[in-house]
Amino acid sequence: MRKFVFQRSKNLVNSFQRSLSSSQSRFYSSPLSSSSSSSMASSNNRTPSVTVDNINPKVVKCEYAVRGEIVTQAQCHTLPYDWYTEKQRLQQELKEKPGSHPFDEILYCNIGNPQSLGQQPITFFREVLALCDHPVILDKSETQGLFSTDAIGRAWQILDQIPGGATGAYSHSQGIKGLRDAIASGIAARDGYPADPNDIFLTDGASPAVHMMMQLLIRSEKDGIFCPIPQYPLYSASIALHGGTLVPYYLNETTGWGMEVSELKKQLEAAQSKGITVRALVVINPGNPTGQVLAEENQREIVEFCKRENLVYQENIYVAEKKFHSFKKIARSMGYGEEDIALVSFQSVSKGYYGECGKRGGYMEVTGFSAAVREQIYKVASVNLCSNISGQILASLVMNPPKVGDESYESYQAEKDGILSSLARRAKTLEDALNSLEGVTCNKAEGAMYLFPRIHLPGKAIEAAEAAKTAPDAFYARRLLEATGIVVVPGSGFGQVPGTWHFRCTILPQEDKIPAIVTRLTAFHQAFIAEFRD
């Protein structure tokens, strides 16, 4: 019987293979390739059916400098040469061949990823997450001694709001209603104006929310999005991916990266003269990569401009270490309601003192849109089913941390203040060091976690960069990496006034690493200027 079954199976396989062979061209032919089924036998000589020349040109156009060429240079040699690969290569060589470079470790100043550089998570947040993810321990006697009472209480409260009490289950497409209630309550407490939980869409960090709104607003290349220059590459990348046009407005470096309405007017008129309809204005506050914080009066001018020009307005909150005024608060204080101005506010748990980048939590608050448009936003959100539940929980915790009288309040406040005060010291040390270098000027970091110094490069250095077919600031950043192991991102990846050169440097390496960064950077810069001095 076993022999019969084996032979029967063998006959079926042979029959299937003959059938597959006769219909191979029908199942495997590609509209991207002119190869016939017979040519598949000589696949080694066949031109690939998918190439950079025939994929979506919007993807090719998209760039993301924060993880681009220089970053690659520090890590690996297994990929085609670019910034990210070369960074990996250096990292691998340091491990395999100690002493092969003039430095013994790579110092990452390129990306806002606090916990990858040693920042510890907030204890209360992680206690609640752990209890929610493994609720069976809530009933164990040992839990009372290991976790704070308010973390236990918050976990029970959150689990009661999750369908089935399981963090591994899908949620409502906008996010768990109880968590949206908590976030709306936190927004109202912060701003002094009501917030509706139905306006909240929980997302995997701020980035998917930005993509969602770009997808909604951009219809063709004739639709433009106002973006600050310098800007966080998420915006230029998402605009390119969705087929729109980036309409730049330049921040004024001489006034601490101020945002001037006169510049907005000039660039709006220039865009309109080209037939571009500007659909939205992006403001990043506190600034990334520039680290500035907008003055309240400046925010009022921007709101008036948006109201007058009928622009949708987007605002991106990254940190809470400065006195922050949301644009919703400013608009409401000026008497503008939902019927007057459309506003989308983005929040992420990745930055600030919490630094929970890998948890991918965030939200957007959508106000001033009609019910019909809101329905379309919900539809787009539903395509992704829901954001991850841990991120949703974290977003609610960030907006509703422990309060005075809670068991965790003092330890939470101490952890928060410790992180923020350390960041302030690091920023000051790096800022002073950069301003002491010949030909370097650096504005004060007023918020966020970045410095964006300007480097005045000698003519010979610019000529050398041109000969290497790279931007002068990328040339500088690459030489910096090769000589010191310090990874920064060239300003050309963020946009800058033509003829000026910058780099973005985070303040996130741990405080005991900052002296080494200063020493290495100073020695490199002095040698670089001496080598290329005109």
Side-chain angles (χ1 to χ4, degrees):
M1 181 66 182
R2 187 181 300 169
K3 183 177 181 181
F4 170 79
V5 171
F6 174 77
Q7 187 61 44
R8 177 64 175 163
S9 300
K10 183 176 179 182
N11 292 340
L12 286 172
V13 170
N14 290 338
S15 175
F16 174 73
Q17 287 176 333
R18 287 193 298 272
S19 173
L20 181 61
S21 178
S22 66
S23 59
Q24 202 169 42
S25 61
R26 178 163 60 92
F27 286 112
Y28 289 97
S29 63
S30 167
L32 298 177
S33 171
S34 60
S35 302
S36 65
S37 59
S38 62
S39 68
M40 295 180 70
S42 56
S43 58
N44 290 338
N45 299 323
R46 191 184 66 176
T47 301
S49 60
V50 179
T51 69
V52 173
D53 294 326
N54 60 33
I55 64 172
N56 187 340
K58 297 173 186 175
V59 175
V60 178
K61 184 179 179 182
C62 167
E63 294 181 358
Y64 191 72
V66 175
R67 297 193 179 209
E69 180 189 358
I70 296 298
V71 182
T72 311
Q73 188 173 348
Q75 291 180 331
C76 156
H77 63 270
T78 58
L79 300 173
Y81 179 84
D82 61 25
W83 202 296
Y84 186 75
T85 310
E86 191 62 15
K87 179 167 72 76
Q88 288 184 324
R89 179 184 67 78
L90 291 176
Q91 187 170 276
Q92 190 169 329
E93 288 179 356
L94 285 175
K95 181 179 179 180
E96 297 176 353
K97 304 173 185 176
S100 59
H101 294 281
F103 47 87
D104 56 5
E105 68 174 330
I106 294 175
L107 297 170
Y108 292 97
C109 301
N110 61 293
I111 191 170
N113 193 14
Q115 292 187 28
S116 74
L117 298 176
Q119 180 174 308
Q120 296 302 301
I122 299 297
T123 301
F124 176 78
F125 295 169
R126 287 305 184 88
E127 285 190 347
V128 175
L129 281 177
L131 292 166
C132 287
D133 277 337
H134 197 47
V136 295
I137 64 176
L138 281 165
D139 291 323
K140 295 185 180 296
S141 58
E142 300 95 320
T143 301
Q144 301 293 331
L146 294 173
F147 294 85
S148 60
T149 56
D150 52 335
I152 293 171
R154 187 73 68 93
W156 277 119
Q157 179 185 14
I158 291 171
L159 287 169
D160 285 343
Q161 297 165 346
I162 299 176
T167 58
Y170 288 133
S171 75
H172 186 280
S173 295
Q174 280 186 243
I176 296 164
K177 175 60 165 59
L179 301 183
R180 287 187 282 123
D181 288 339
I183 290 170
S185 175
I187 293 172
R190 181 195 68 193
D191 293 347
Y193 293 92
D196 186 345
N198 293 318
D199 292 339
I200 306 296
F201 288 75
L202 290 167
T203 54
D204 290 328
S207 301
V210 171
H211 279 288
M212 198 182 304
M213 293 310 300
M214 295 296 183
Q215 191 173 10
L216 184 85
L217 294 170
I218 294 172
R219 300 162 297 184
S220 74
E221 70 279 358
K222 288 298 183 181
D223 283 333
I225 305 293
F226 248 146
C227 282
I229 298 297
Q231 53 95 33
Y232 183 56
L234 164 65
Y235 296 99
S236 56
S238 60
I239 292 168
L241 283 173
H242 296 294
T245 298
L246 186 149
V247 178
Y249 65 89
Y250 290 95
L251 301 177
N252 190 335
E253 186 171 7
T254 61
T255 60
W257 301 110
M259 182 177 174
E260 298 178 352
V261 172
S262 59
E263 169 69 6
L264 291 175
K265 291 177 180 176
K266 182 177 78 172
Q267 299 297 346
L268 178 62
E269 291 170 359
Q272 290 172 338
S273 70
K274 299 174 185 175
I276 295 172
T277 301
V278 178
R279 304 297 312 280
L281 170 67
V282 173
V283 176
I284 307 174
N285 182 44
N288 180 1
T290 53
Q292 94 289 355
V293 175
L294 292 176
E296 185 175 353
E297 183 56 38
N298 195 190
Q299 290 181 275
R300 291 178 179 276
E301 294 173 346
I302 296 164
V303 169
E304 285 288 5
F305 175 81
C306 292
K307 176 68 174 66
R308 185 168 59 251
E309 301 296 342
N310 196 32
L311 290 177
V312 179
Y313 176 78
Q314 297 187 51
E315 169 267 321
N316 195 352
I317 311 167
Y318 276 120
V319 296
E321 62 208 51
K322 296 282 290 186
K323 179 62 178 174
F324 176 80
H325 299 288
S326 75
F327 271 87
K328 178 185 168 189
K329 173 184 176 181
I330 297 296
R332 298 295 180 264
S333 71
M334 296 171 68
Y336 293 133
E338 290 208 21
E339 67 283 358
D340 297 307
I341 189 167
L343 174 67
V344 183
S345 301
F346 302 101
Q347 169 68 300
S348 168
V349 305
S350 298
K351 310 304 182 194
Y353 65 90
Y354 17 89
E356 294 281 10
C357 301
K359 294 300 183 183
R360 307 310 300 135
Y363 68 82
M364 65 177 178
E365 183 187 17
V366 179
T367 60
F369 292 87
S370 69
V373 173
R374 288 285 297 276
E375 185 178 337
Q376 299 304 309
I377 297 173
Y378 177 77
K379 180 174 68 178
V380 173
S382 298
V383 170
N384 294 320
L385 297 178
C386 70
S387 60
N388 81 86
I389 303 303
S390 293
Q392 292 189 32
I393 293 171
L394 262 174
S396 74
L397 296 175
V398 164
M399 294 305 294
N400 281 275
K403 305 292 192 299
V404 175
D406 293 342
E407 181 184 336
S408 296
Y409 176 74
E410 289 187 5
S411 60
Y412 158 77
Q413 201 64 42
E415 290 175 1
K416 174 184 174 182
D417 292 346
I419 292 170
L420 292 177
S421 60
S422 176
L423 286 172
R425 291 192 298 270
R426 285 178 256 176
K428 177 62 174 170
T429 300
L430 287 171
E431 174 197 327
D432 289 346
L434 288 163
N435 280 319
S436 72
L437 300 178
E438 180 183 352
V440 178
T441 55
C442 183
N443 282 319
K444 182 178 181 180
E446 297 177 327
M449 48 190 64
Y450 312 104
L451 294 166
F452 199 65
R454 180 176 177 180
I455 45 177
H456 300 261
L457 296 173
K460 289 182 180 179
I462 294 174
E463 291 173 3
E466 291 173 349
K469 298 182 179 179
T470 188
D473 49 10
F475 179 77
Y476 180 93
R478 183 180 297 172
R479 290 284 297 265
L480 173 65
L481 172 60
E482 292 170 346
T484 68
I486 298 172
V487 188
V488 297
V489 186
S492 47
F494 299 92
Q496 53 199 340
V497 172
T500 66
W501 310 107
H502 303 76
F503 62 84
R504 190 187 78 165
C505 176
T506 71
I507 59 174
L508 291 175
Q510 288 300 290
E511 201 161 355
D512 62 355
K513 302 286 187 184
I514 299 299
I517 293 173
V518 170
T519 300
R520 294 188 199 182
L521 176 60
T522 300
F524 163 78
H525 186 80
Q526 291 172 345
F528 183 91
I529 294 298
E531 178 182 354
F532 292 103
R533 190 179 301 280
D534 293 328

